Structure formats: C-alpha cells, structure tokens
Amino acid sequence: MEDRINELTEQIVKRFKDSGFDVDAKEVSKRLKLLIFEFKVPESEAVRTVTNYLMKELDISREQLVAESPLVKIADITTPGKWVSLKAKVVQLWDATSPNVSQVGLIGDETGIIKFVIWAKAGKGEVEEGKSYLFKNVVTDSFGGRMQVNVNRSSQIVEIDEDVQLPPRELEVVGALIAIQQNSGLIKRCKLCNRTMTKDICPVHGKVEGYDDLRIKGVVDDGENYYEVILNEDNIRALTGIGLNEARKIAEEKLDRNAVLTELKTRLLGRYFRVVGTRGERYLIVREVEFLKPDIKTIAGEIL
Amino acid sequence: MNGRKREVARRLFAYEFNRSTHKIGGEDERSPVYVLTPTGMRCNRVFVVGVLLDKEETRPDTNFWRIRVSDPTGVFIGYVGRFQPDALETILEVEPPELVAIVAKVRLFEGETRNFASLRPESIAVVDSDVRDYWVCETARLTLERIKQMEERSSEDAELAWQIYNPDLEEYRTIVRQAVQSVVAEYGVVEEAKEKAAREEEKEEIEEIEDIDEFEEEFDFEEEEWDLSDILGE
Ligand SMILES: [Zn+2]
C-alpha cells in the first residue's frame, strides 16, 4: 500500500513539474494517505482532490497544467486506476442510462476498442461518432470484469485532424468447409420480419406467408481456428452456378427442398476456400468467397 | 451450443494418428475426450483427406462400415454407422478407390497391449487432388510447427507428450518431408497416386492383421455404449 501511495505521489509531482511547478512530495503523500487510508476515498478521487488542492494553492488554472498522462494504446490498458491519454476514434455512442452520465459508448484505436464514460460532472463538450479525439488524462477503470476509461473534470477532450484507424473488422480466412448446418440451402423466410421459418412457421409471427431464399450456414476451419460463416445467394451462385431459380428447379425435380442442401453439400463440403468477410458477434458475414486455387509447388517448396 | 465451444478440426498424418495412444479428459459424461498425439496435440475432431481404399460391412446387413483411408504416410481406420447419416449416405454411394475429405471425431479403443485411435466420420465428401495436395501441405506445416513447440517444450501438452511418447522428432520430420515430396512428385497424376497407395496398402494390411483382430473384439463389446453416450452428449 505504501508503494502505491509513493507511485501516486510521484505521478502528481511529475504532472506539476512537467507544467513548471514544484510541489512538496511529502505534503502530497500525506494528503493522499489521509484520503485513501482514513477516509477510504477511491484512488482516482483522492488524486483528483489533491491535484485540485494544489492548483488552488499555487493559483494555477487547469489549462496551465498542460502536462498529460502518458499516451497509451488501448490494448495496453489492463489495470484500473491509471491516468492515461489516448488517441482514439468514437466508434459508437450508446444511450446514457443515468443522469450522471453525459455520454457513453465505445472508442477505438488500431489496437482495440474500449468502453468510455463521460461523467456529467466533468462538464466536457460532446463527442461525435466517427470523429477522432485526443482523450487527455482519463482514468482507467474496470466494470463488470472489463476495462473502460472515465472522462472526469481533470480530463480534456481535443478533436484531432487525424483519422484514427480501428482494428481490422474484415477478415480473410483460408480453410476447409467442414460443416454445413441443417437450416441451409433453399429456405423460407417470414415476409414480415425476414426470420428463417421452420416448417412454414415464423418463430415470432407463427404461420404466415414466406418467401424463398438461398443461404449456407457453415463452418470454415483452418486447423487452428474455426469460423462460422454465412454465405448468401450471390456467394453460392459464384461457387456453384446454383442461384435461387436453379435451386427451385432442383427442389421441383426431386419433389424435395432438401435436395438443394444435399447438392450443395456434395459440391462444397470438404473443399478449401478463401473467404473474405466482416466479423459479427458470431458469424463471419461473407463478402467474397472462392475455391482455393493453391500453388502447390510454391507452398511445398516453402515447407521443404 | 449451450456456450460449449466447437472443437477445431485438427490436422495430422496417419503416421502420427496411429501412434497416438493417450487419452485426456472424459472423466465425466460432459467433458470432451481428447487424444494426445506424439507431437503434443490434443484432438477431438480431425479433418483428413486421403484415398478411400476400401469399405466393408463389419457384419452382413448391419449398415455398419469399416473404412480404410490412406494419406501419403499411412492408413486411417474409421467406422461409419447409422448415427452418422451424412457420412453413411456417402459411404453407401462411393466406390473405392476414391479421394475423400473426412471430418471425424476421434475415438480411442483400449486394446490388450495398447490403445488404438480410429475415426468416426461426421461427413465424407468426394474431392479432387487439389484438395488432397493442399491438405498435405497444410498438415505438414502444422505438424512442423508442433515439432518446433516440442523442441522448445513450450506448452503443457508438449511436456506431457515428451513424458508419454518420448518421440524421435527426426522421424516425424522425415515423414512430413516425404509426404510433401510425394505430392510434388505426383502432382496432377491422381490415378498413379491412387494405385501406389493401394499397393502399399496391401502390404501394410498383412502386417496389421494381428492388431486389427484385437481391435475389433474390443469394438464389438463397446459399440452400444458409445452410441448411447453420443445421443446423450451431443
Ligand atoms: Zn416473422
């Protein structure tokens, strides 16, 4: 615990020193101890209180205290209670559920995405989705087992010109199609909500009219990972020449809609594919798919 | 589903598969069973591409088939029955020799002298030589990576594999190299590859007969149990 006090003391002293002001480390340490040990104040609050006290004492404004916490990448945020600065893009804003919160959502840089909270008391301007900012002096925190960053009164948000890149959401996979699930092939969807119907029943709307669609829910596996993929009609036609009309024809000839699934399994299962798609919560939504055309001589040459 | 993660389909050559005798897990009905291989890989599901050399009903009219599938390093033995309808459908139609891609669960039978690994295919598809050749290269690359990890003793499973198998890694490296060379040498000449594999098979069959008798006895005894556990477990 003493170590932690020393660490926090150093942080505060350094922040003032970097701004051109000398503060007494003993005084800082004493006040931190009082707040944290005696009054059980959370670390971040204690640091802020001591900082505010010193600013008043030295009669300096927040703007004069320019030195900022170390610039870090989101992937490096692993422990709560650290003062950091981030260059990040606002990925998504959620509805704030508490009046104490001004804005809440996700920000990201090229290493990851993290939740952020701007407290109403912080009195900061609003951020916009898709814009990039320098988040100065924000405090890391952990909530429900996940890391987040909090923007408080000591923080600063500055819009920047740079367009911060986000981690790649589009993924390229080379692997074998090792499974095609049952509810694939020529399926029926609900006319009202587009959900897949089983035996002409929509899980939400019951027995309603449906329309035909062609899709594959499958698993692409590269021996180290697996990816659940969804292929749409275009993807399937590109691979097999079977589109919605051809699929209907197969079903009519065989008097069995399942014949389409059997045909697709025969043509696609166990083959290798190159798949490019967007990773959703569970499925890789495929944009492009092709049979792998391996250059065996080159690949083998690299191994030998 | 139920939050249970899907098992990745591992890649390994028949040579390594047939030397895998150690079981991990399966203490209770819900925990998955893995076979630990000599290069320190845990596998529960595998993806194999090779030549289906023959299929044979274990007893007449049981619709329970024993299959033999060869890659450039050896032969996988598998069993297909009515609980694997997709695989059974293909087996009833296909006439060996034919190149097939198999997705299978791994089974380990306890024999008198040692354990035997075999495949229980989930699906079987007839494929062309491009798929086989890529599979050989991919399996070679992944096996070499495991050999490296064995040398570095970089995982618990590598450590365990040293204890149990104490493998000669040079032997595995040689097998991998030969496998890759075989596809490069015969690239595009599928018929020739089929014949060669079939010839090698006959030779190996004679050597294996003793083991297989023992293997089948064990199998008859436990067949019913596995089918049941499968219905409950999946
Ligand atoms: Zn509906």
Side-chain angles (χ1 to χ4, degrees):
Chain A
M1 269 329 273
E2 284 291 330
D3 284 355
R4 183 68 186 139
I5 294 289
N6 290 339
E7 207 177 299
L8 295 173
T9 302
E10 255 171 59
Q11 266 179 34
I12 293 172
V13 171
K14 183 173 185 303
R15 192 166 170 215
F16 279 88
K17 197 179 173 99
D18 289 349
S19 313
F21 302 99
D22 274 326
V23 295
D24 183 5
K26 264 189 201 152
E27 177 74 15
V28 172
S29 169
K30 201 180 84 189
R31 285 178 177 273
L32 281 175
K33 273 186 200 161
L34 182 71
L35 290 170
I36 293 171
F37 294 155
E38 288 294 313
F39 295 106
K40 312 292 178 203
V41 171
E43 278 180 11
S44 58
E45 283 300 320
V47 168
R48 195 169 68 195
T49 307
V50 173
T51 305
N52 287 346
Y53 163 79
L54 292 168
M55 286 197 304
K56 240 182 249 166
E57 281 290 289
L58 297 163
D59 194 25
I60 54 179
S61 69
R62 201 165 297 282
E63 282 65 43
Q64 283 174 278
L65 201 62
V66 284
E68 63 216 35
S69 319
L71 197 63
V72 301
K73 295 291 179 198
I74 286 173
D76 298 328
I77 297 177
T78 50
T79 41
K82 298 260 187 235
W83 289 82
V84 297
S85 297
L86 292 169
K87 249 191 219 174
K89 183 193 261 179
V90 179
V91 179
Q92 215 171 63
L93 288 172
W94 303 335
D95 291 331
T97 49
S98 151
N100 296 331
V101 172
S102 136
Q103 281 187 308
V104 57
L106 298 173
I107 54 174
D109 65 16
E110 66 277 15
T111 70
I113 286 173
I114 196 167
K115 182 181 164 188
F116 78 102
V117 176
I118 305 180
W119 297 102
K121 277 194 290 180
K124 302 295 159 193
E126 305 224 307
V127 294
E128 279 178 50
E129 269 182 24
K131 285 193 175 170
S132 299
Y133 299 87
L134 182 60
F135 292 84
K136 281 197 214 174
N137 304 325
V138 296
V139 185
T140 65
D141 194 3
S142 124
F143 188 78
R146 309 196 67 163
M147 298 306 295
Q148 66 176 49
V149 291
N150 296 333
V151 178
N152 57 38
R153 260 181 292 176
S154 307
S155 312
Q156 264 183 290
I157 305 174
V158 184
E159 194 180 335
I160 52 174
D161 242 352
E162 211 176 309
D163 181 34
V164 174
Q165 296 301 300
L166 296 175
R169 272 167 61 83
E170 195 164 84
L171 206 66
E172 184 181 310
V173 177
V174 171
L177 185 70
I178 64 155
I180 296 181
Q181 281 148 17
Q182 266 309 314
N183 44 5
S184 299
L186 187 59
I187 57 162
K188 262 210 178 5
R189 288 185 189 279
C190 171
K191 271 202 168 153
L192 300 173
C193 68
N194 301 326
R195 283 188 176 81
T196 314
M197 302 169 76
T198 29
K199 291 178 181 140
D200 292 335
I201 309 258
C202 165
V204 174
H205 297 100
K207 209 166 169 70
V208 287
E209 220 183 314
Y211 65 94
D212 285 338
D213 192 13
L214 188 64
R215 69 109 179 256
I216 287 176
K217 270 174 127 173
V219 180
V220 171
D221 184 307
D222 64 8
E224 294 175 288
N225 289 297
Y226 68 87
Y227 306 86
E228 292 182 282
V229 300
I230 294 185
L231 304 183
N232 63 21
E233 190 207 343
D234 287 345
N235 300 144
I236 296 168
R237 194 193 291 111
L239 291 173
T240 63
I242 299 175
L244 196 53
N245 288 334
E246 291 79 6
R248 284 206 195 97
K249 239 173 260 163
I250 293 171
E252 278 162 25
E253 274 168 25
K254 299 266 165 83
L255 299 170
D256 179 8
R257 290 171 78 84
N258 261 324
V260 176
L261 180 55
T262 307
E263 180 68 21
L264 293 176
K265 280 184 177 172
T266 307
R267 298 232 209 152
L268 302 175
L269 256 187
R271 273 67 160 191
Y272 283 96
F273 296 90
R274 181 186 303 281
V275 176
V276 180
T278 319
R279 195 208 277 275
E281 190 109 319
R282 171 165 178 193
Y283 292 98
L284 189 68
I285 311 298
V286 175
R287 181 165 62 78
E288 264 177 48
V289 56
E290 56 175 10
F291 285 101
L292 186 68
K293 296 179 235 19
D295 175 3
I296 294 297
K297 277 185 183 158
T298 306
I299 297 169
E302 281 164 13
I303 296 168
L304 292 172
Chain B
M1 264 165 269
N2 300 331
R4 200 165 125 186
K5 224 172 116 66
R6 193 189 161 84
E7 293 290 342
V8 173
R10 302 294 175 185
R11 316 288 205 260
L12 81 173
F13 289 119
Y15 185 88
E16 180 173 357
F17 186 72
N18 291 329
R19 280 158 186 77
S20 305
T21 56
H22 184 74
K23 187 169 104 174
I24 298 176
E27 289 84 11
D28 61 87
E29 278 169 43
R30 297 189 59 83
S31 69
V33 177
Y34 299 90
V35 170
L36 181 77
T37 76
T39 64
M41 175 172 66
R42 269 170 205 249
C43 54
N44 165 279
R45 173 182 278 133
V46 293
F47 179 64
V48 161
V49 181
V51 185
L52 177 70
L53 295 168
D54 57 52
K55 56 172 188 179
E56 188 189 348
E57 260 181 312
T58 51
R59 284 185 299 274
D61 304 318
T62 51
N63 235 356
F64 196 77
W65 298 79
R66 189 168 69 114
I67 60 171
R68 292 149 57 73
V69 178
S70 171
D71 73 9
T73 73
V75 175
F76 293 95
I77 290 176
Y79 290 89
V80 182
R82 62 193 183 284
F83 289 104
Q84 302 87 42
D86 278 4
L88 183 60
E89 201 180 316
T90 314
I91 279 303
L92 294 177
E93 282 168 11
V94 66
E95 279 312 318
E98 187 75 80
L99 264 182
V100 291
I102 298 180
V103 181
K105 287 284 189 170
V106 174
R107 286 290 175 264
L108 200 67
F109 300 108
E110 284 169 25
E112 293 267 314
T113 50
R114 70 176 186 93
N115 294 340
F116 297 87
S118 70
L119 302 178
R120 226 237 344 240
E122 296 171 322
S123 70
I124 302 175
V126 175
V127 296
D128 62 22
S129 61
D130 269 1
V131 175
R132 190 269 319 273
D133 293 347
Y134 187 76
W135 179 84
V136 169
C137 291
E138 183 185 58
T139 304
R141 183 177 57 77
L142 292 167
T143 306
L144 290 175
E145 265 170 41
R146 292 199 300 275
I147 290 174
K148 216 173 114 211
Q149 281 163 20
M150 283 293 283
E151 285 171 335
E152 291 164 358
R153 295 179 180 258
S154 59
S155 72
E156 255 175 61
D157 286 345
E159 203 56 57
L160 189 58
W162 275 117
Q163 278 174 34
I164 287 161
Y165 299 106
N166 192 27
D168 175 0
L169 293 178
E170 217 29 65
E171 175 187 322
Y172 285 90
R173 240 192 220 108
T174 307
I175 293 293
V176 167
R177 250 193 315 269
Q178 283 170 357
V180 175
Q181 271 156 355
S182 80
V183 296
V184 180
E186 297 175 29
Y187 191 54
V189 196
V190 183
E191 290 311 312
E192 197 181 305
K194 276 185 193 169
E195 278 170 32
K196 180 167 170 277
R199 277 198 307 275
E200 278 176 5
E201 227 359 76
E202 267 170 45
K203 232 173 25 191
E204 275 187 37
E205 192 165 16
I206 297 161
E207 291 163 14
E208 275 184 12
I209 271 173
E210 235 173 288
D211 284 350
I212 287 182
D213 283 346
E214 188 176 19
F215 179 84
E216 297 238 74
E217 256 170 52
E218 290 295 326
F219 193 81
D220 285 344
F221 176 67
E222 291 191 69
E223 176 188 345
E224 211 55 42
E225 262 179 41
W226 277 310
D227 288 346
L228 277 175
S229 72
D230 211 41
I231 296 164
L232 295 170
E234 289 169 40

